[in-house]
Amino acid sequence: MTPDQTPHTFQVDLRGLVDLLSHHLYSSPRVYLRELLQNAVDAITARRAEQPDAPARVLLSVDGGGLRVEDSGIGLTEHDVHSLLATIGRSSKRADAEGIASARAEFLGQFGIGLLACFVVAGEIRVVSRSARTPAAPPVEWTARDDGSYTVRTLPDGARPEPGTTVYLTARPGAGEWLTEAKVLSLAREYGSLLPYEVRVGDEPVTDLPAPWDRSYPSPAARRVALAGHCRTLFGFTPLDSIDLDLPLAGIRGVAYVLPSAVSPAQRAGHRVHLKGMLLTERADGLLPDWAFFVRCVLDTDSLRPTASRESLYEDETLAGVRDALGAAVRDWLGSLAAGDPERLEQFLSVHHLGVKSLARHDGEMLRAMLPWLPFETTDGRLSLEEFARRHPVVHYTRTVEEFRQVAAIASAQGIGVVNGGYTYDTELVERLPEVRPGTAVAELDADTVTAHLDSVDPAQELALAPFLAVARAALDALGCDVSLRSFHPLTVPALHLDDRAARHEQARADAEEQADDLWAGILGSLRGSAPRARLVLNHLNPLIRRIGSLDDPQLAGTAVEALYGQALLMAQRPLRPADSALLNRAFAGLLEWATHDGKNEA
């Protein structure tokens, strides 16, 4: 600063600052009671640090539209009042230099700023206090109004014989509902039910200790029932299960409740966090990893830092460490279910599998924790990938539901393990199975793989059927489909239609080329691929195929093959192209004509 520069002090509009803090820092008028309880609890904590046997109680009473909050805490001298209550931003927890109180982890908040929250509901705040640290000091009264003015005066000794502080609130116009006895009792129980000291509203107790998760119960079943009732009271649902959250190093105790119905992974969780017994927030987010979207937590902590408004958590290294540790607790719960209670795991996944799959695609922790246990539709029924991989050396999968339906029965009969990857997220997750289960072989199922597992027909029998196979291939050639003969189970299946993505892409290109003008036909023709065509595999074990193969009428045999082709497409629930529909109609009409043919009626 140069010599000709004169320093200036900020001009503070105290009334505007009070309005800013009391109306904009906090989300709702309800927090005024939390701030009063925090100040009272901090005062008691400070006194007990010096006088361990000092009384510890907070009494609230409603009288004539006003509220009185009395505590047996450390109290204040006149000097303390000027230093703490009349200096905005000063905290008794930071005032070591003045000897008022030491900075201690046991404190909840800041006395000065917190008290200003009361102006949300009060037009006047009166504080009467006597110091336990300086017993000879007389009681002092501090009176503040919502216009930003205040007065301080000393009182006779009889005005408050015992150390402690009493705060009187006078309701501001329109805010009287917040100072009714029913509202005060409701808010006190909401915020202070886990506080370590006695808190009462009139004759009604507020504190309810120990916390539900720390109480003794006659049996594990009784504990589950009690926690389920606690969850209904707090969150309004009956949980599928409860997960203990016990992190002694982080000073955290609580419980996570598993939601009974599916929710979107993107939905913001609403966790309840108590700070040293005081409810901090009902809507904490960032407390658990994103993948743990299926639980709602309630816990008490003495290590996490609140933000300035004390309505959310400060994002720092401590919170990140707690988040990881709580995520590990949820993963351990999932692992214990998988190891010892598969029925409950199945119940959980039946509700949350889609959301779990969605997050597992992007979240490595969720992928490792859940992929082995997620249920998939397979040729062995609905199984976890862990169980399915134990049964089959190679985990084959299809990319579409239609492909799976084509081959499911045949593959199962031939001992090929196939997973239906046609549902949302399933293909991507099956492909990542080796990341979680090293050494697992995963491969997309193609037509060649299926055909290779089908039994070949005796060469002599296949040679005898060569004329029929030539007719069949000619009938389907225009549709881009080959014909082969194999023996496979179940023998009730006369024909199997097989193709893969490459074959379908080539067929789509050929269809487009056929319908395009000369320019586009030339372009599409240059893109012609060498992929194998689709194939219709005829089952030599099926009696119908044997009879069709012995027909002397080539035209009738060709019509029968067309009908088998159409039936195979329908059984696989494949979408029919216009050419397929025309062929199916033609084959149906031809067979009807043959069935009703009468040589006597010929002209």
Side-chain angles (χ1 to χ4, degrees):
M1 184 171 57
T2 59
D4 60 339
Q5 289 181 316
T6 303
H8 299 278
T9 58
F10 285 103
Q11 301 300 309
V12 177
D13 180 353
L14 185 57
R15 184 169 186 171
L17 183 59
V18 166
D19 179 77
L20 175 65
L21 292 173
S22 61
H23 290 84
H24 302 286
L25 180 63
Y26 302 104
S27 62
S28 167
R30 63 194 300 116
V31 300
Y32 87 91
L33 194 68
R34 183 195 64 192
E35 299 298 335
L36 290 173
L37 289 175
Q38 283 185 344
N39 289 336
V41 169
D42 282 346
I44 294 172
T45 300
R47 184 177 181 184
R48 282 211 156 182
E50 301 179 8
Q51 305 172 16
D53 296 330
R57 63 179 180 273
V58 182
L59 305 178
L60 298 91
S61 57
V62 175
D63 182 23
L67 173 65
R68 183 181 69 194
V69 182
E70 182 178 1
D71 68 67
S72 57
I74 193 68
L76 302 170
T77 64
E78 181 178 358
H79 175 72
D80 297 339
V81 166
H82 283 289
S83 177
L84 299 177
L85 302 188
T87 304
I88 302 302
R90 178 71 61 83
S91 170
S92 63
K93 276 66 75 180
R94 295 201 308 261
D96 299 68
E98 299 181 30
I100 298 171
S102 61
R104 299 176 54 86
E106 289 81 4
F107 292 117
L108 295 173
Q110 295 186 113
F111 192 94
I113 291 179
L115 193 61
L116 293 178
C118 296
F119 281 118
V120 176
V121 298
E124 180 181 276
I125 302 173
R126 185 164 67 95
V127 178
V128 176
S129 186
R130 183 162 195 158
S131 174
R133 189 177 285 115
T134 313
V140 62
E141 178 188 72
W142 176 83
T143 304
R145 298 167 186 82
D146 60 1
D147 62 1
S149 63
Y150 73 91
T151 59
V152 179
R153 65 188 181 105
T154 57
L155 300 177
D157 285 347
R160 184 175 179 94
E162 299 295 328
T165 300
T166 304
V167 179
Y168 300 88
L169 300 187
T170 302
R172 67 187 305 160
E177 62 173 306
W178 292 101
L179 300 183
T180 63
E181 186 168 5
K183 177 64 74 172
V184 169
L185 179 59
S186 173
L187 293 176
R189 284 177 171 167
E190 178 181 353
Y191 286 114
S193 62
L194 300 184
L195 288 174
Y197 309 129
E198 177 189 6
V199 181
R200 306 182 73 87
V201 176
D203 296 328
E204 294 291 332
V206 170
T207 48
D208 185 19
L209 296 175
W213 50 85
D214 285 330
R215 296 174 188 171
S216 297
Y217 298 95
S219 67
R223 186 175 190 272
R224 284 196 298 271
V225 171
L227 290 179
H230 179 242
C231 179
R232 283 193 298 271
T233 300
L234 288 186
F235 298 114
F237 64 83
T238 300
L240 286 177
D241 204 354
S242 57
I243 307 168
D244 285 323
L245 304 176
D246 187 4
L247 304 176
L249 294 179
I252 286 178
R253 284 284 295 157
V255 63
Y257 294 115
V258 182
L259 292 166
S261 55
V263 295
S264 168
Q267 181 175 323
R268 295 177 69 86
H271 304 300
R272 291 176 62 95
V273 177
H274 295 256
L275 181 61
K276 305 178 185 68
M278 180 73 71
L279 179 66
L280 181 71
T281 178
E282 301 174 274
R283 300 180 299 276
D285 56 8
L287 186 63
L288 267 73
D290 289 340
W291 60 261
F293 64 91
F294 48 82
V295 298
R296 295 292 179 268
C297 295
V298 53
L299 55 83
D300 188 25
T301 176
D302 59 15
S303 64
L304 299 179
R305 292 173 55 195
T307 58
S309 66
R310 296 193 287 283
E311 294 185 292
S312 59
L313 296 172
Y314 187 82
E315 185 68 45
D316 57 9
E317 292 182 359
T318 301
L319 179 58
V322 166
R323 181 163 50 238
D324 292 341
L326 294 180
V330 177
R331 283 198 305 274
D332 290 344
W333 169 77
L334 291 169
S336 67
L337 288 189
D341 199 343
E343 291 185 1
R344 271 203 297 168
L345 179 63
E346 183 177 355
Q347 183 184 17
F348 164 74
L349 289 177
S350 68
V351 175
H352 295 293
H353 68 279
L354 191 60
V356 170
K357 288 180 178 180
S358 173
L359 275 181
R361 297 179 305 146
H362 309 293
D363 191 296
E365 292 184 56
M366 176 63 91
L367 184 75
R368 290 187 294 272
M370 294 306 302
L371 184 58
W373 315 113
L374 285 170
F376 287 79
E377 183 181 1
T378 76
T379 48
D380 292 354
R382 192 165 181 81
L383 292 177
S384 69
L385 286 184
E386 179 71 23
E387 175 64 24
F388 190 77
R390 283 199 296 264
R391 296 185 183 186
H392 299 279
V394 179
V395 177
H396 291 96
Y397 66 93
T398 63
R399 290 186 177 273
T400 67
V401 175
E402 290 79 10
E403 290 178 39
F404 181 80
R405 288 169 178 165
Q406 282 183 73
V407 302
I410 308 301
S412 178
Q414 307 305 313
I416 308 173
V418 184
V419 177
N420 184 357
Y423 295 114
T424 306
Y425 314 130
D426 284 8
T427 289
E428 185 177 350
L429 292 175
V430 174
E431 290 175 337
R432 298 185 66 180
L433 181 59
E435 299 178 27
V436 179
R437 199 176 189 273
T440 303
V442 174
E444 183 177 357
L445 186 71
D446 56 27
D448 289 337
T449 301
V450 177
T451 305
H453 281 78
L454 304 180
D455 295 333
S456 299
V457 178
D458 180 85
Q461 293 177 320
E462 187 169 6
L463 183 60
L465 292 173
F468 163 69
L469 293 175
V471 170
R473 289 168 181 144
L476 301 183
D477 182 66
L479 297 172
C481 183
D482 291 331
V483 178
S484 60
L485 186 67
R486 293 289 189 275
S487 296
F488 56 86
H489 292 275
L491 56 83
T492 54
V493 177
L496 175 65
H497 182 271
L498 294 177
D499 63 4
D500 52 29
R501 283 190 302 159
R504 287 194 296 276
H505 289 166
E506 174 60 21
Q507 185 60 56
R509 187 209 58 78
D511 291 343
E513 179 183 357
E514 184 178 341
Q515 299 174 14
D517 57 28
D518 292 342
L519 174 61
W520 281 108
I523 295 174
L524 292 170
S526 68
L527 300 175
R528 181 178 295 110
S530 59
R533 304 201 304 172
R535 70 192 68 177
L536 183 70
V537 183
L538 303 177
N539 187 1
H540 189 250
L541 298 180
N542 182 269
L544 178 61
I545 295 299
R546 290 174 179 264
R547 288 197 295 270
I548 294 175
S550 63
L551 291 174
D552 295 329
D553 185 345
Q555 183 177 357
L556 178 59
T559 300
V561 169
E562 291 176 341
L564 289 170
Y565 171 83
Q567 182 201 32
L569 290 178
L570 294 174
M571 287 181 62
Q573 301 185 29
R574 293 293 302 276
L576 299 181
R577 299 170 298 164
D580 297 331
S581 299
L583 174 140
L584 191 58
N585 291 332
R586 184 171 65 250
F588 180 69
L591 291 177
L592 284 179
E593 182 179 352
W594 177 83
T596 57
H597 176 72
D598 186 351
K600 296 179 181 179
N601 295 331
E602 291 182 354

